[in-house]
């Protein structure tokens, strides 16, 4: 039986990845940070099947102890301060968790379980002000936020540990992926949650930022399969994971309101509070390498994804007004 350690297991991707690895017969450990209030909603249904270890990416001794306890064959580093918007108000913290935290974990892997395979959750935010359309593994990075800059460090230190110490370390450059488990701050879930509340008479308007930004949005359940596949290859490598289609935030808003038979113009208000100091205008990934080498393809379309998220939020609010 293989053993995996997932950091960020309470997050969107961590919970889907834990489900996938359990289905494949893995023993799954999850690193969770100490919180005053437990926020384990995404993994509540898995609590009997997984082992949780307390630790923090910023605390090397806790990572060494976690690896000593779990002795994993595979380590998936999904933990991060992952909200781009907050990375301007907490830039040092973001650099420490999302950037230096990766180095801490790689160093702990090198010292304790150097045979283990390592996955780093890199991001299309690294492309930022894009130097090429579509973006592939060969596109130069130009991050536009403290988050993007921290992810660039995390990416290159992963490559460096692979090349310096021969670690089996892979970096997945994942484009935006969403689900009913997405945090409420992120634009897709903010929109689908608001649409459901408006449809149920619980909210009157939706305040938004830049509607012209374009993103390549996929389903998180599809994307965790790519993470797993990367660690099953003969050689460690880096892969872009994306759908190859891009839509504006306005199209997302239109699609979500249309799903409940409403017109978005009647509810959406632009609020400068949600406009970012520097924007990533367009993301569009080229997933050809993943298709060829991992035999990975996204299965859920944009329309299906938005529909799934609105339906899930509606279920929560129906009968609540
Ligand atoms: P998420 O839902 O925000 O989950 C982040 C996880 O990291 C949570 O479990 C959080 O724990 C944990 N965490 C935060 N700070 C930590 C620390 N100092 N030590 C240990 N754990 C910590 O993120 P996600 O959407 O699942 O994304 C997973 C990873 O992929 C992240 O690294 C993200 O940056 C990256 N990524 C995401 C996307 C996307 O579109 N979703 C695309 C590209 C890359 P708490 O529950 O305690 O907060
Ligand atoms: O949903 P978002 O906050 O995601 P963003 O910034 O693209 O980052 C996400 O994807 C990255 C991969 O590319 C991950 F690495 C990262 O961890 C995270 O998961 O915003 C998407 C777009 C932005 O252009 C933003 O300016 O939506 C625009 N937007 C417009 N109004 C808004 C809003 N975003 C949010 N969160 N809230 C708004 O009201």
């Amino acid at each position: 039986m293989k053993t995996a350690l997932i950091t960020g297991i309470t997050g969107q991707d961590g919970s889907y990845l834990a489900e996938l690895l359990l289905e494949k017969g893995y023993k799954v450990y999850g690193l969770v940070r100490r919180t005053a209030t437990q926020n384990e909603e995404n993994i509540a249904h898995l609590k009997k099947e997984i082992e949780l270890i307390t630790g923090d990416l910023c605390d090397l001794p806790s990572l060494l102890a976690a690896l000593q306890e779990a002795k994993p064959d595979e380590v998936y580093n999904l933990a991060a301060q992952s909200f781009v918007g907050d990375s301007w108000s907490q830039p040092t913290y973001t650099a420490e968790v999302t950037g230096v935290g990766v180095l801490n974990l790689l160093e702990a892997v090198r010292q304790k379980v150097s045979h283990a395979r390592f996955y780093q959750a890199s991001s299309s935010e690294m492309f930022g002000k894009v130097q090429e359309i579509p973006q592939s593994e060969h596109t130069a990075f130009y991050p536009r936020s403290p988050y993007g800059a921290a992810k660039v460090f995390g990416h290159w230190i992963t490559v460096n540990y692979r090349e310096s110490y021969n670690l089996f370390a892979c970096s997945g450059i994942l484009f935006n992926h969403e689900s009913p488990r997405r945090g409420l701050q992120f634009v897709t879930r903010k929109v689908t949650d608001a649409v459901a509340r408006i449809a149920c008479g619980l909210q009157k308007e939706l305040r938004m930022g830049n509607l012209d930004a374009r993103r390549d949005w996929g389903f998180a359940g599809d994307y965790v399969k790519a993470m797993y596949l990367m660690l099953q290859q003969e050689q460690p490598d880096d892969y872009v994971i994306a759908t190859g289609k891009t839509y504006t935030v306005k199209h997302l808003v239109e699609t979500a309101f249309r799903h409940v038979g409403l017109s978005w113009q009647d509810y959406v208000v632009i609020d400068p509070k949600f406009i970012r100091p520097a924007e990533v205008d367009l993301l569009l990934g080229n997933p050809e390498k993943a298709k060829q080498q991992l035999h990975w393809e996204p299965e859920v379309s944009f329309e299906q994804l938005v529909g799934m998220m609105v339906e899930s939020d509606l279920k929560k609010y129906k009968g609540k007004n």
Side-chain angles (χ1 to χ4, degrees):
M1 181 195 272
K2 277 197 195 169
T3 299
L5 174 72
I6 303 174
T7 74
I9 196 167
T10 55
Q12 170 188 257
D13 292 5
S15 61
Y16 282 109
L17 181 65
E19 281 171 10
L20 179 75
L21 296 179
L22 287 169
E23 266 168 40
K24 293 191 179 297
Y26 279 59
K27 173 150 186 64
V28 175
Y29 286 87
L31 188 86
V32 289
R33 46 182 182 164
R34 188 258 158 201
T35 49
T37 53
Q38 282 194 319
N39 60 344
E40 292 174 357
E41 198 184 320
N42 283 337
I43 53 166
H45 61 299
L46 302 174
K47 280 294 278 290
K48 288 200 179 101
E49 296 166 83
I50 58 182
E51 298 260 0
L52 298 181
I53 304 178
T54 306
D56 194 297
L57 278 198
C58 297
D59 186 77
L60 180 60
S62 71
L63 301 178
L64 291 164
L67 291 170
Q68 176 77 33
E69 181 178 340
K71 295 197 173 49
D73 302 295
E74 295 173 8
V75 177
Y76 293 87
N77 183 32
L78 309 187
Q81 190 302 87
S82 71
F83 186 55
V84 174
D86 282 351
S87 76
W88 279 280
S89 53
Q90 299 178 47
T92 309
Y93 174 74
T94 302
E96 281 169 359
V97 179
T98 305
V100 178
V102 185
L103 172 58
N104 285 337
L105 188 56
L106 280 163
E107 188 49 34
V109 166
R110 184 177 81 86
Q111 290 186 32
K112 290 286 176 189
V113 283
S114 60
H115 66 279
R117 295 183 169 206
F118 181 87
Y119 173 83
Q120 166 57 13
S122 287
S123 164
S124 50
E125 273 290 307
M126 301 189 303
F127 296 123
K129 188 172 178 181
V130 298
Q131 301 295 293
E132 188 180 27
I133 301 169
Q135 297 84 50
S136 75
E137 294 79 7
H138 304 294
T139 306
F141 300 141
Y142 191 141
R144 292 273 281 172
S145 62
Y147 169 85
K151 281 286 180 188
V152 170
F153 175 77
H155 174 81
W156 282 117
I157 200 67
T158 301
V159 173
N160 180 258
Y161 265 56
R162 178 167 78 216
E163 294 176 356
S164 304
Y165 303 115
N166 207 22
L167 290 190
F168 193 110
C170 299
S171 171
I173 306 174
L174 271 53
F175 283 62
N176 299 51
H177 46 279
E178 320 292 317
S179 74
R181 297 181 198 169
R182 187 61 146 149
L184 282 163
Q185 276 184 305
F186 300 92
V187 76
T188 51
R189 187 72 199 294
K190 176 174 168 176
V191 169
T192 63
D193 183 74
V195 163
R197 288 176 63 84
I198 289 169
C200 294
L202 296 165
Q203 187 171 323
K204 290 204 160 35
E205 63 175 24
L206 168 58
R207 303 188 82 79
M208 297 285 301
N210 176 15
L211 299 188
D212 296 323
R214 302 177 81 96
R215 289 291 180 276
D216 179 331
W217 278 294
F219 172 52
D222 287 343
Y223 284 41
V224 298
K225 291 180 189 159
M227 299 176 187
Y228 164 76
L229 287 170
M230 284 179 218
L231 296 202
Q232 314 314 311
Q233 303 306 300
E234 278 185 17
Q235 296 297 330
D237 207 344
D238 308 324
Y239 298 86
V240 158
I241 301 298
T243 68
K245 296 199 173 89
T246 189
Y247 301 96
T248 59
V249 173
K250 192 189 286 173
H251 184 69
L252 160 73
V253 168
E254 259 172 9
T255 308
F257 275 95
R258 200 183 330 114
H259 192 84
V260 294
L262 297 174
S263 173
W264 69 277
Q265 289 95 336
D266 296 337
Y267 301 95
V268 172
V269 177
I270 302 302
D271 185 338
K273 190 169 84 182
F274 297 109
I275 307 276
R276 296 175 177 180
E279 179 62 284
V280 172
D281 296 317
L282 164 72
L283 290 176
L284 173 63
N286 173 359
E288 205 43 43
K289 180 176 172 184
K291 280 189 189 168
Q292 294 301 326
Q293 295 186 22
L294 304 178
H295 307 295
W296 176 87
E297 296 230 24
E299 286 168 29
V300 175
S301 72
F302 174 77
E303 287 271 343
Q304 287 170 326
L305 175 63
V306 176
M308 173 204 305
M309 292 175 70
V310 173
E311 286 301 321
S312 162
D313 284 321
L314 276 171
K315 220 190 256 173
K316 213 170 52 189
Y317 295 122
K318 266 188 184 150
K320 291 274 165 65
N321 67 343

